[in-house]
Amino acid sequence: MRHICHGVCQGYTGCSGSVRKKGAGGEDTTRIEDIGGEFALIHRLTSRKEIPGVLKGVGDDCAVLRYDDEFDLLITTDLLLEGTHFRLDWSTPAQIGNKAMESNVSDIAAMGGIPRYAFVSVAFTGDFSVEQADELYAGMNKSCDRHGVSIVGGDTTKGALLTLNILIVGMVEKGTALLRCGALCGDLVAVTGSLGKSEAGLQALQNGLEGNIQPHLEPTARTEWGRLLRPYANSMIDVSDGLAGDIIHICDESNLGVEIDGDAIPLFETAMEIAARLGHDPLDYALSGGEDFELLFTFSKSKTDLIQKTGVPFTVIGKITEATRLLRVKRRAVPLKGGYDHFF
Amino acid sequence: MRHICHGVCQGYTGCSGSVRKKGAGGEDTTRIEDIGGEFALIHRLTSRKEIPGVLKGVGDDCAVLRYDDEFDLLITTDLLLEGTHFRLDWSTPAQIGNKAMESNVSDIAAMGGIPRYAFVSVAFTGDFSVEQADELYAGMNKSCDRHGVSIVGGDTTKGALLTLNILIVGMVEKGTALLRCGALCGDLVAVTGSLGKSEAGLQALQNGLEGNIQPHLEPTARTEWGRLLRPYANSMIDVSDGLAGDIIHICDESNLGVEIDGDAIPLFETAMEIAARLGHDPLDYALSGGEDFELLFTFSKSKTDLIQKTGVPFTVIGKITEATRLLRVKRRAVPLKGGYDHFF
């Protein structure tokens, strides 16, 4: 069902635990938390059977559909809600529009694809002004211009909360979409850029600290890097849920394990500053912070030179193994656990 | 931007008028109502320039994209919010899921297309149970099975209100999508089935009256009829905003006028019963009630026999004229005004 899960909800609203309750007919009902949260729910609700024309359905960054002799079609969608995913007192409408578009484009990037068309559904609140609506669209259009995307359809309505759903249609050379399931045992695991920057910005906002919050408010999808990595990587995902959760998606879909060297994970400078001031471990910002929109990919060691020649800044942080999933930090190995879940 | 506008919001929440207010910088801000509401906003926010690969963008039921030598791609999306578009005390989760899917499928039907793939974004509230989520998806899947649609992707998150965004990808034989802009002067105007049934059901729910509320809670998109009409109609739209608003969309996009014979409009039997009990004019339910999901189309009189042979039940209710837009009721002609607007 859900192609990616942006760990953007933490911090904006407390995910208040609901209590087990009786249904209308008096029967016991089950909380989403009780079955294991968001990903268990997605598995429960969605069919993974083969569908004609669908090359890859639920379970990756994008759905992959048959298109023509040259290209496959990539489709991804994200639903973003005021209070859950963004706050109007922390972000301008332009920043919200921009980030919403970038987070979707990032899913196309994670498959090595070219984003093309956007469909934007918006629920405006009663007191949202025309000027704010203009700004929201200006933010989306800024992102669209950056990535060569055109808004070609959508829906508008009125609601109690500002609500945005964006769907992006992209394309990728036939049969070459970088899937989560493509990792091979022995592959090196690498990540572009640096991590923890979005969580650091969120922590700064929440705690009233000074710091570089720009990457949190105005992230950039790595479409160009995705295109450059496509010929050489075996699997790829965007880091939207935190590194830990996202590498586990690759492991799950590839039926393999991983060993991550925590000390090798490239941390954003501000993440270290903010974490130090708050007494946090900056590694946690990278592992479970989410929304960094860097690319996490695996590749055969023999391709290292070719990847270096692309000019994409990347860091090797581990390797794909048979089954066990370990995170080694300062020579201490601990079981690797998943990232953020919207239902816990 | 917005392909269709489902007049489903009336009655669920009062559209509280916001007051003109100062922006954060002290500047005057403009209410969406001040510029003419939803459709004016869509015109303001969206580009209607030509985009490569896009045969029809903003301004019709679906966007039409180039696909292959045989088919064009149709894409439509709708955002539905608890409180604005549905109420959990009036509808079961299955009914909400079913209606959300049907309302999207209806846009594909209105172009004469074949619906294929659905992308579903859902925000669940904290107290939404797994059983309710199962029911919501069962309702969507019932509709999918009816129309040959597969859910192939989406997004789930947590929110303060149950929120659903559905996007459907369909296809239609190359160059044959029935657009709103295809009406010709002299065309007959016809509608399938009968109208006012959804508004009658809503009125019954709001006023605690007995009556057939099934068509309001469980509408059915007319995909089969759309396919049968496609070879013979010149323009088509689904009746989702109320007949008055929807025929005006055809007139606007075709740069033509219309004369509607109000007395010829086929009214659903329950609509007449409920309206009589409430002292309403049942014609208003048809003209501005919305959500009937019947097909409104125009065709050359010479095609009448061919359309009759399809077996689609339809009623001729007027004709396309040069410019003036008139509604004649009992020999009294009044200017035809638009349908429901979410922002008034």
Side-chain angles (χ1 to χ4, degrees):
Chain A
M1 175 79 273
R2 178 156 200 258
H3 294 128
I4 65 156
C5 95
H6 296 295
V8 286
C9 140
Q10 72 272 42
Y12 288 103
T13 50
C15 287
S16 56
S18 60
V19 292
R20 183 176 285 273
K21 56 171 194 169
K22 295 281 181 188
E27 72 284 7
D28 271 328
T29 59
T30 315
R31 296 178 308 178
I32 291 169
E33 291 91 325
D34 294 332
I35 61 164
E38 184 166 20
F39 295 106
L41 182 69
I42 292 165
H43 271 268
R44 180 184 175 112
L45 296 176
T46 56
S47 152
R48 294 189 173 219
K49 66 177 186 230
E50 281 193 24
I51 299 163
V54 179
L55 304 170
K56 181 78 198 176
V58 175
D60 218 302
D61 293 282
C62 303
V64 187
L65 306 183
R66 190 188 67 73
Y67 187 56
D68 62 14
D69 289 341
E70 200 178 347
F71 291 100
D72 293 329
L73 219 53
L74 304 174
I75 305 189
T76 182
T77 188
D78 267 319
L79 177 61
L80 304 167
L81 294 91
E82 181 182 349
T84 304
H85 301 91
F86 56 82
R87 280 174 52 162
L88 280 161
D89 53 343
W90 284 355
S91 301
T92 65
Q95 286 170 332
I96 292 165
N98 182 79
K99 186 169 184 170
M101 191 63 73
E102 293 289 333
S103 74
N104 274 280
V105 167
S106 180
D107 287 322
I108 304 284
M111 290 224 157
I114 308 161
R116 292 289 300 275
Y117 308 116
F119 293 80
V120 179
S121 300
V122 187
F124 293 107
T125 53
D127 63 352
F128 209 74
S129 70
V130 172
E131 288 77 9
Q132 285 177 302
D134 284 342
E135 280 180 47
L136 184 77
Y137 274 75
M140 287 192 276
N141 283 323
K142 184 177 158 190
S143 169
C144 284
D145 290 345
R146 184 184 294 137
H147 300 287
V149 172
S150 301
I151 298 176
V152 299
D155 187 20
T156 66
T157 187
K158 191 168 179 175
L161 294 170
L162 180 64
T163 306
L164 254 175
N165 193 88
I166 298 184
L167 180 140
I168 299 203
V169 178
M171 36 194 52
V172 68
E173 290 76 1
K174 202 175 170 73
T176 70
L178 281 176
L179 305 177
R180 298 176 180 182
C181 62
L184 299 172
C185 194
D187 269 7
L188 297 180
V189 177
V191 68
T192 62
S194 62
L195 301 179
K197 47 187 181 281
S198 183
E199 180 65 21
L202 180 61
Q203 292 287 339
L205 282 168
Q206 285 180 321
N207 295 284
L209 300 179
E210 295 284 314
N212 183 4
I213 58 171
Q214 199 67 8
H216 175 74
L217 296 176
E218 298 186 18
T220 306
R222 304 303 196 185
T223 42
E224 203 181 324
W225 294 354
R227 295 292 295 160
L228 291 166
L229 293 169
R230 186 184 55 84
Y232 311 117
N234 288 331
S235 69
M236 193 150 76
I237 190 170
D238 70 327
V239 185
S240 52
D241 275 343
L243 179 65
D246 292 317
I247 188 65
I248 283 178
H249 289 315
I250 285 183
C251 292
D252 283 346
E253 296 292 326
S254 301
N255 290 314
L256 287 167
V258 72
E259 278 188 34
I260 297 288
D261 175 5
D263 303 312
I265 294 172
L267 295 174
F268 188 63
E269 198 173 321
T270 304
M272 291 187 279
E273 289 167 19
I274 299 285
R277 289 165 70 184
L278 293 169
H280 294 166
D281 183 345
L283 196 57
D284 287 340
Y285 292 1
L287 288 171
S288 57
E291 280 202 310
D292 279 329
F293 302 127
E294 295 294 346
L295 297 173
L296 176 66
F297 59 104
T298 76
F299 62 100
S300 161
K301 196 176 178 180
S302 64
K303 300 276 174 65
T304 308
D305 284 355
L306 291 167
I307 292 179
Q308 278 170 340
K309 279 185 192 152
T310 63
V312 175
F314 72 99
T315 309
V316 173
I317 58 167
K319 63 170 191 246
I320 295 293
T321 62
E322 288 246 325
T324 321
R325 293 154 189 196
L326 286 180
L327 170 69
R328 292 184 193 277
V329 187
K330 296 193 177 72
R331 298 189 188 169
R332 183 169 54 89
V334 292
L336 183 64
K337 287 183 287 190
Y340 181 78
D341 189 306
H342 287 258
F343 289 96
F344 287 107
Chain B
M1 177 74 273
R2 177 161 199 253
H3 294 128
I4 66 159
C5 96
H6 296 297
V8 286
C9 142
Q10 72 272 44
Y12 288 102
T13 49
C15 287
S16 57
S18 59
V19 292
R20 183 176 285 272
K21 57 170 193 169
K22 295 282 180 187
E27 72 285 6
D28 272 327
T29 60
T30 314
R31 296 177 308 178
I32 291 170
E33 291 91 324
D34 295 332
I35 60 162
E38 184 164 20
F39 295 106
L41 182 68
I42 293 164
H43 271 267
R44 180 184 174 109
L45 295 177
T46 56
S47 151
R48 294 189 172 218
K49 67 177 185 229
E50 281 193 24
I51 300 163
V54 179
L55 305 170
K56 182 78 198 176
V58 176
D60 219 302
D61 293 282
C62 303
V64 187
L65 306 184
R66 190 188 65 75
Y67 187 56
D68 62 14
D69 289 342
E70 201 178 347
F71 291 101
D72 292 329
L73 219 55
L74 303 174
I75 306 189
T76 182
T77 189
D78 267 321
L79 177 61
L80 304 167
L81 294 92
E82 182 181 348
T84 304
H85 301 91
F86 56 81
R87 281 174 51 162
L88 280 160
D89 53 344
W90 285 353
S91 302
T92 65
Q95 286 170 332
I96 292 164
N98 182 79
K99 187 169 182 169
M101 192 62 74
E102 293 289 333
S103 75
N104 274 280
V105 167
S106 179
D107 287 322
I108 304 285
M111 290 222 158
I114 307 161
R116 291 290 299 275
Y117 308 116
F119 293 79
V120 179
S121 300
V122 187
F124 293 108
T125 53
D127 63 351
F128 209 73
S129 70
V130 173
E131 288 77 9
Q132 286 177 303
D134 284 342
E135 280 180 48
L136 184 78
Y137 274 76
M140 286 192 277
N141 283 322
K142 183 177 159 192
S143 168
C144 284
D145 290 345
R146 184 183 296 139
H147 300 287
V149 172
S150 302
I151 298 175
V152 299
D155 188 20
T156 67
T157 187
K158 191 168 177 177
L161 293 170
L162 180 64
T163 306
L164 255 174
N165 192 87
I166 298 184
L167 180 141
I168 299 203
V169 178
M171 34 193 52
V172 68
E173 290 77 359
K174 202 174 171 74
T176 71
L178 282 176
L179 304 178
R180 297 176 181 181
C181 61
L184 299 173
C185 194
D187 268 8
L188 296 181
V189 177
V191 68
T192 62
S194 62
L195 301 179
K197 48 188 182 280
S198 183
E199 180 64 21
L202 180 61
Q203 291 288 339
L205 282 167
Q206 284 180 321
N207 295 284
L209 300 178
E210 295 285 313
N212 183 4
I213 59 171
Q214 199 67 9
H216 174 74
L217 296 176
E218 298 187 19
T220 307
R222 304 304 195 183
T223 42
E224 202 180 326
W225 295 353
R227 294 294 293 159
L228 291 167
L229 293 169
R230 185 184 55 86
Y232 311 118
N234 289 330
S235 69
M236 194 149 76
I237 190 171
D238 71 327
V239 185
S240 53
D241 275 343
L243 179 64
D246 292 317
I247 189 64
I248 284 178
H249 289 317
I250 285 183
C251 292
D252 283 347
E253 295 293 326
S254 302
N255 288 313
L256 287 167
V258 71
E259 277 189 36
I260 297 288
D261 175 4
D263 303 313
I265 294 171
L267 296 174
F268 188 63
E269 199 172 319
T270 306
M272 291 187 280
E273 288 168 20
I274 300 286
R277 288 164 72 184
L278 294 170
H280 294 165
D281 183 345
L283 196 57
D284 287 339
Y285 292 2
L287 288 170
S288 57
E291 279 203 309
D292 280 327
F293 302 126
E294 295 294 347
L295 297 173
L296 177 66
F297 59 104
T298 77
F299 62 99
S300 160
K301 196 175 178 181
S302 64
K303 300 275 175 67
T304 307
D305 284 356
L306 291 167
I307 292 180
Q308 278 170 339
K309 278 185 191 152
T310 63
V312 175
F314 72 98
T315 309
V316 173
I317 58 166
K319 65 169 190 245
I320 296 293
T321 62
E322 289 248 324
T324 321
R325 293 155 188 194
L326 284 180
L327 169 70
R328 290 184 194 278
V329 188
K330 296 193 177 71
R331 299 191 187 165
R332 183 170 54 88
V334 292
L336 183 64
K337 286 181 288 191
Y340 182 76
D341 189 306
H342 286 257
F343 288 95
F344 287 106

